[in-house]
Amino acid sequence: MGAAILNLFVLLFLIFSSHSFPSVHSQQFPITNEGGGIDPTKTPVYIVHVEKPHGISNRPLRLRDLKNWYMSFLPNATLASGESRMVYTYREVITGFAARQSPKEVEAMESLDGFIEANPEKEHYTSTTYTPTFLSLNDKPSNTLWYDSSMGAGQIIGVIDSGISPNHPSFNDNGMPPPPVKWSGKCYWGNARTCNNKLLGAVAFRNGVYPDPYDNDGHGTHVASTAAGNFINNANVTGQAAGIASGMAPRAHLAVYKISFINPSGISVSTDADIYAGIEQAIRDHVDILQMSIGFVKYQLYNSPIVIGSFAAITKGIVPCACMMNMGPTPSILANDAPWILIVGASTFDRKIMASVLLGKGSELAGESAYQPGTFPSTQIPLAFPFDQLSTVKSTGCHLGELKKLNLRDNIVMCYRFGLKDDERGRNVLISGGKAMILLNDMPEGETTKAYAHVLPSSHLNNTDTNVIIEYYSNTANPTAAIKFRGTLFGINSAPAVATFSSRGPSLTNGGIIKPDVIAPGVNILAAWPRTVGPTKSIFNFLSGTSMATSHVSGIVALLRNKYLNWSPAAIKSAIMTTAYTLDRKGNPITDEYEGTSATVFEQGAGHIDPEAATKPGIIYELNYYDYVHYLCGYCKSNSPVQMIIKTKMNCSQVKTIEPEQLNYPSFSVSIGGNITEVQVKRKVTNVGDAGSTYTVDVKDPEGVRVEVTPQTLQFNQVGEEVSYEVKFSLKGGLPKPAAGEVREGRLNWDSGKYYASSPMVVTFV
Ligand SMILES: *[C@@H]1O[C@H](CO)[C@@H](O)[C@H](O)[C@H]1NC(C)=O
Ligand SMILES: *[C@@H]1O[C@H](CO)[C@@H](O)[C@H](O)[C@H]1NC(C)=O
Ligand SMILES: *[C@@H]1O[C@H](CO)[C@@H](O)[C@H](O)[C@H]1NC(C)=O
Ligand SMILES: *[C@@H]1O[C@H](CO)[C@@H](O)[C@H](O)[C@H]1NC(C)=O
Ligand SMILES: *[C@@H]1O[C@H](CO)[C@@H](O)[C@H](O)[C@H]1NC(C)=O
C-alpha cells in the first residue's frame, strides 16, 4: 500500500550522489531585514469583527459600501502621525477590518451598534530548519493518478507564505496550460517572464502596503515547488549529473501571497492583518487550494486568521491545507486545528543519506549527513565528549567557550543538539581543531535524524544509537571512532515514522476532533531554494518540518480535485483520511520516532497519505456549511464567535446544535466516564464508488470498550446515495474501569470487497 506514495514523492527528491567536495566554509545566510512582525513602538493594529451593514445584508456587498460602514467605527481616518488608520478592509475572510487604534479607542468602539469583537493582532511563524546541499536528479513518473488528473492542470494553488523566487527553474512554464478564465490575480513584477503560466501571480501584504513578493527567506519557494514545481529537464545542480525533478502536481498553477517577512532578529514572521489580507486576495483571485505552512500555537481556535480565513475558503469550494507546527513531542501544542482544515503532521520516508559511525573495532551506527566527503578517510581517531569535562549536568551542545577549554585536535567530537544551530555547532568544532562531529539526540529529539550539509564530516545519530555510543565511550579506555559516508539509501524499512518534532494532539480547543488528519513526508525534503547553497552552488535545499508535509498534501489535493471536479473540500479530506495507511514498509504499525513505540492517533491522525488509494475511497463523509454551523453553535455556546467565523448574524438558539463528536467527520472521538457510560454517534456516508455496492463493517474495539454499529451492512443502489449508521460506545462489563485520563484507540472500517474506508476511533476516559 505504501509503494504508490513512495513512487510519487520520490520524484522530488533527487538522488544524492556521494562524491568529494572541496573544503567547505559555512554558507553565510543572507538575511535582509524586511521589518516583519509587530512594531511595539507603533499604534497597535486591531482585527475588528462587525455585523454586515444593516439593511443590505441580502445582496452582495460592494467594497465601497463596506468601506464606508467600516470607517464609521473609527474616530477619524488618520492618526496624529498622519498615518492612515485603516490597514485592510475585508469582505471574503471576515466582515470586518484591520485598523490602527489605541486600546482606549477600541473600548469606545465596543458600544457602537453592529460591533462584535476586536482583538489586537498577533504574530505567526514558519519554523523550519534549513539544510543546504546539492544534488542530482532522477526518476520518472510511474503513477496513474498523475495521468488521470492531468498532473493537476487547471488547478491553482494559493501559497500563503514568505513569497517566491520567481525565476527559479522549478517555476518554468514549459508544457503549462494558460491560466483558467476564472483567474483574476495580479503579478507584482508585471507579466513578462517573471510571472508565467506556472506562476500566475505574486503579491505581498505588509501592514496595508504591497511590497515586493520576492522570497528573501526560502520557505515559500520551497513549499511552492514541493506542491507544484514544474519538471526541470537537464537540471544540473551538482555540476555532474542531469535528470528530471518536479513537485507533486507539476501541471498545477501557483499564485503566491507573501505575508511573512524577516524581522530584525532574522526570523520570518507574519501578522493577523496580513494573513487575513493574503487569504482574502486568494479567495478573490479564485484559487482552488490554500497552502498554509504557517501558524501560531497559542491561539484559541476562534482567534486565528487561518482558521477563520479557511472557513471562508471552504464556502467557496477552496480546500485549505495547513501544518500542525513543529512543537513535538510535547502533546497538545498545535495550530490550525479546525475541522474544516486539512491538517498535516510530518513523517519520514524511506530514504537516508547515510553517514555511518564505526566504534573502535565494534559496531556500526547508521547516522545521517548531507555533506558526504568521499575522500574523508574512515580510519579510527580519538573520540572526545565535552560532556564529562564539565561540572554541569549536561554539555551545552558544543558552545565555543566549552570547546576552547579542551584539546580537540584531530578528534572526533560528540555534541548534543541544543542551544545552537547545527551549522554554528559544526563551525565551533572545526575552529577548535576537531576533525569530525557526531551529533547526539537526547530523549526529547527521539529517533529523528536530519541530513544537514555540515561544514565538516559529521553524522547525526538517533537516540538509541546515542545511548550506544555514550555507553561505549564511558566503558572504553581509549575510545575511538570513524565516519564512513555511504551515500543515499532507499528502502529504509522503518519508514514512514512520525517525526519527533511534529506537533501532536489532542487539540484542547476544538472539542475533541482528532488532529492531525494525516501525516505526510516532512523530514529532509529537497526542493527549490532562492539562493545557491553549498560549495556546488545548488539551487535546491533540504528542509524538515510539518510545513514540508503540508506542501506534499496540497499538491496531492490538486491532483484529486482535478480528477473529481465536483468534490467538496470535505469530500477530498474524507477520501484522503479513510484511505491513509497505518503500517510501515515492514508491515508493522507506524512508529513515533520520539519513543520508538507505535504512533497514536494524536501523532498520525488517520495515518499516512496514500494518493493513489485516495482516488478510490468508495464512500465519503460529506460536510456542508450547515453541519459546521451546528457544530460551531454546539461548541462555542454563544453567538459572537459563530458570527465572526460565518460572517452572518446568527442566533444559535434558533438552529440545531450538535456536540463535536456528532460532526460527520471521518474519525471518531468520544469521552466516557462519570455518569456517562455510553455515547452514541451518528454518521452519514455518500457512495462515490459503484452503484449496487454493499459494505460490511469491521470494528477493532478500543480496549475495555464495546462498539456496536447499526446497521452492520450498508447497501447502496446508486452512486451519490447517502446512508446513515450509528455507533454506540459503552464500557465493557466485567473489566476494571480505565482510570480517568486514559485513552484507548480502535478502528472502524467499511469494506465492500473493492473499496475500503477506515476511520480511527479514540475513547477518552473522564
Ligand atoms: C484623529 O484623531 C487623533 C486622536 O485619536 C488625532 O490625534 C488626530 O489629529 C486626528 N486626525 C485628524 C485628521 O483629525
Ligand atoms: C553540468 O554543468 C557543468 C558546469 O556547470 C558542466 O561542465 C557539465 O558538463 C554539466 N553536466 C551535464 C550532465 O549537463
Ligand atoms: C536508530 O538508528 C539505527 C541505525 O544505526 C537503527 O538501526 C535503529 O532502528 C534506529 N532506532 C529506532 C528506534 O528508530
Ligand atoms: C435568540 O432566539 C431566542 C429564541 O427564539 C430568543 O429568545 C432570543 O432573544 C434571541 N436572541 C437574540 C440575541 O436575538
Ligand atoms: C452527571 O453528573 C453531573 C455532575 O457530575 C451532573 O451535573 C449531571 O446532571 C449528571 N447527568 C446525568 C444524566 O445524571
Side-chain angles (χ1 to χ4, degrees):
M1 213 171 2
I5 168 82
L6 291 170
N7 275 338
L8 183 58
F9 59 69
V10 102
L11 292 166
L12 185 74
F13 316 129
L14 322 165
I15 291 223
F16 182 89
S17 57
S18 110
H19 59 286
S20 60
F21 296 111
S23 73
V24 203
H25 293 287
S26 98
Q27 165 81 13
Q28 197 47 53
F29 195 60
I31 289 170
T32 317
N33 170 17
E34 302 173 299
I38 293 168
D39 184 346
T41 65
K42 293 202 152 175
T43 310
V45 173
Y46 280 78
I47 307 295
V48 183
H49 296 260
V50 298
E51 287 172 12
K52 291 205 167 118
H54 298 304
I56 57 165
S57 54
N58 286 330
R59 60 175 167 84
L61 293 167
R62 285 182 308 175
L63 274 174
R64 183 153 41 87
D65 295 337
L66 273 178
K67 207 163 191 167
N68 291 338
W69 168 240
Y70 295 160
M71 283 302 286
S72 74
F73 288 86
L74 296 176
N76 65 15
T78 52
L79 297 168
S81 63
E83 213 172 355
S84 156
R85 283 189 186 275
M86 191 63 86
V87 180
Y88 296 109
T89 57
Y90 305 114
R91 179 181 60 184
E92 305 295 340
V93 277
I94 60 171
T95 303
F97 54 94
R100 301 183 176 94
Q101 299 171 84
S102 70
K104 261 224 170 73
E105 288 163 341
V106 173
E107 238 179 272
M109 189 172 62
E110 282 169 7
S111 61
L112 297 178
D113 195 27
F115 172 89
I116 300 176
E117 193 172 312
N119 294 301
E121 66 168 358
K122 300 178 208 72
E123 294 181 335
H124 299 242
Y125 303 92
T126 56
S127 57
T128 328
T129 49
Y130 54 90
T131 54
T133 194
F134 17 78
L135 342 117
S136 60
L137 324 181
N138 86 325
D139 229 29
K140 283 217 152 62
S142 58
N143 189 286
T144 59
L145 174 55
W146 261 25
Y147 297 104
D148 289 357
S149 67
S150 317
M151 301 182 191
Q155 296 290 315
I156 306 173
I157 302 178
V159 182
I160 312 288
D161 212 291
S162 63
I164 196 154
S165 171
N167 295 318
H168 193 284
S170 284
F171 310 122
N172 78 73
D173 71 352
N174 297 336
M176 287 294 301
V181 277
K182 65 178 183 176
W183 165 252
S184 56
K186 289 200 181 70
C187 179
Y188 174 89
W189 301 290
N191 288 316
R193 285 184 54 221
T194 28
C195 286
N196 58 20
N197 287 337
K198 165 57 73 181
L199 176 61
L200 298 186
V203 284
F205 300 88
R206 172 90 197 94
N207 256 325
V209 295
Y210 309 92
D212 190 333
Y214 183 81
D215 182 11
N216 291 308
D217 179 87
H219 189 271
T221 299
H222 197 279
V223 296
S225 72
T226 304
N230 202 349
F231 295 104
I232 306 176
N233 288 314
N234 298 319
N236 177 357
V237 284
T238 60
Q240 297 194 338
I244 301 173
S246 86
M248 297 295 103
R251 288 288 175 260
H253 305 284
L254 288 163
V256 166
Y257 304 89
K258 172 168 176 156
I259 44 79
S260 189
F261 299 84
I262 298 170
N263 73 8
S265 327
I267 294 164
S268 245
V269 39
S270 48
T271 61
D272 285 1
D274 294 337
I275 294 174
Y276 272 127
I279 299 176
E280 168 91 20
Q281 192 59 50
I283 295 174
R284 290 189 198 176
D285 292 349
H286 305 108
V287 305
D288 298 290
I289 295 139
L290 284 172
Q291 151 60 40
M292 299 175 291
S293 287
I294 189 164
F296 182 66
V297 293
K298 285 186 198 121
Y299 267 125
Q300 283 299 309
L301 183 54
Y302 303 121
N303 189 10
S304 155
I306 294 185
V307 166
I308 296 180
S310 294
F311 191 84
I314 58 155
T315 65
K316 306 272 174 170
I318 299 167
V319 183
C321 303
C323 67
M324 185 79 174
M325 300 304 281
N326 305 332
M327 307 297 280
T330 312
S332 300
I333 313 179
L334 64 156
N336 309 325
D337 44 337
W340 46 86
I341 308 180
L342 179 45
I343 305 290
V344 189
S347 55
T348 60
F349 68 111
D350 76 329
R351 182 193 61 184
K352 246 188 157 173
I353 303 162
M354 204 77 97
S356 283
V357 175
L358 311 166
L359 294 182
K361 295 190 190 72
S363 34
E364 171 167 349
L365 310 175
E368 280 199 272
S369 171
Y371 175 44
Q372 297 261 323
T375 51
F376 185 70
S378 51
T379 45
Q380 295 286 324
I381 52 175
L383 185 60
F385 192 18
F387 174 84
D388 66 343
Q389 314 283 337
L390 295 172
S391 54
T392 47
V393 178
K394 252 182 187 167
S395 154
T396 55
C398 291
H399 255 281
L400 202 50
E402 169 184 59
L403 298 182
K404 271 190 171 153
K405 295 183 201 138
L406 311 170
N407 178 11
L408 298 175
R409 185 136 307 275
D410 293 337
N411 277 205
I412 187 163
V413 182
M414 297 194 284
C415 302
Y416 272 109
R417 292 186 68 245
F418 42 69
L420 308 173
K421 277 192 171 177
D422 280 337
D423 16 350
E424 192 177 347
R425 208 183 315 284
R427 270 199 305 277
N428 291 349
V429 172
L430 198 60
I431 291 168
S432 310
K435 198 159 200 166
M437 174 172 73
I438 297 172
L439 294 173
L440 307 178
N441 266 9
D442 66 358
M443 197 51 200
E445 290 179 303
E447 310 296 345
T448 303
T449 55
K450 290 179 181 171
Y452 279 88
H454 298 287
V455 297
L456 78 174
S458 301
S459 175
H460 181 181
L461 297 179
N462 65 17
N463 182 64
T464 307
D465 285 349
T466 294
N467 292 335
V468 172
I469 198 169
I470 286 176
E471 166 98 11
Y472 164 78
Y473 177 84
S474 313
N475 297 320
T476 310
N478 293 304
T480 61
I483 298 180
K484 189 164 175 55
F485 294 100
R486 296 197 178 278
T488 305
L489 268 76
F490 284 93
I492 305 298
N493 280 331
S494 58
V498 178
T500 305
F501 61 75
S502 186
S503 278
R504 287 114 202 279
S507 165
L508 303 178
T509 61
N510 70 0
I513 307 265
I514 295 170
K515 291 288 168 174
D517 294 310
V518 286
I519 51 172
V523 179
N524 300 331
I525 304 304
L526 188 59
W529 200 244
R531 299 170 294 277
T532 61
V533 288
T536 57
K537 306 222 177 301
S538 168
I539 49 169
F540 294 89
N541 201 355
F542 277 122
L543 272 77
S544 296
T546 54
S547 294
M548 286 68 238
T550 306
S551 51
H552 281 85
V553 172
S554 54
I556 289 161
V557 168
L559 302 178
L560 289 172
R561 225 172 161 281
N562 236 25
K563 189 169 160 116
Y564 299 106
L565 289 170
N566 53 7
W567 278 16
S568 70
I572 285 175
K573 172 151 75 170
S574 175
I576 287 174
M577 285 175 68
T578 61
T579 59
Y581 59 90
T582 55
L583 300 180
D584 66 19
R585 290 170 50 101
K586 259 185 292 190
N588 297 325
I590 288 175
T591 56
D592 173 11
E593 286 204 321
Y594 172 44
E595 289 179 308
T597 50
S598 296
T600 70
V601 291
F602 297 129
E603 288 138 17
Q604 64 170 327
H608 192 284
I609 186 166
D610 185 342
E612 204 60 54
T615 64
K616 303 177 215 74
I619 51 176
I620 52 171
Y621 293 78
E622 187 59 90
L623 280 165
N624 63 35
Y625 176 81
Y626 293 102
D627 295 318
Y628 290 122
V629 171
H630 301 158
Y631 153 86
L632 282 168
C633 278
Y635 174 66
C636 298
K637 306 212 159 41
S638 76
N639 295 333
S640 315
V642 182
Q643 292 185 175
M644 282 159 50
I645 294 168
I646 70 172
K647 302 191 300 170
T648 299
K649 209 166 166 72
M650 172 54 55
N651 185 342
C652 282
S653 41
Q654 291 174 354
V655 299
K656 184 171 141 193
T657 68
I658 58 167
E659 292 303 314
E661 69 259 23
Q662 303 292 349
L663 188 67
N664 199 38
Y665 213 73
S667 62
F668 299 82
S669 171
V670 299
S671 296
I672 297 184
N675 52 14
I676 302 163
T677 55
E678 74 173 53
V679 178
Q680 216 156 332
V681 299
K682 243 188 154 152
R683 290 291 187 270
K684 187 168 70 185
V685 286
T686 310
N687 182 20
V688 296
D690 305 324
S693 28
T694 306
Y695 288 79
T696 49
V697 76
D698 161 40
V699 176
K700 303 218 169 9
D701 290 354
E703 203 188 320
V705 177
R706 181 190 314 284
V707 179
E708 290 162 79
V709 181
T710 2
Q712 302 249 311
T713 307
L714 305 179
Q715 177 65 49
F716 296 97
N717 299 316
Q718 280 152 33
V719 175
E721 193 178 338
E722 295 177 338
V723 173
S724 295
Y725 67 92
E726 274 187 3
V727 188
K728 190 163 94 182
F729 298 86
S730 56
L731 277 176
K732 241 178 208 158
L735 294 169
K737 190 174 156 294
E742 279 201 41
V743 175
R744 299 285 163 78
E745 289 185 24
R747 299 287 299 188
L748 188 156
N749 311 314
W750 288 107
D751 190 353
S752 78
K754 179 172 174 188
Y755 302 106
Y756 190 77
S758 175
S759 293
M761 302 189 288
V762 50
V763 177
T764 305
F765 295 92
V766 292

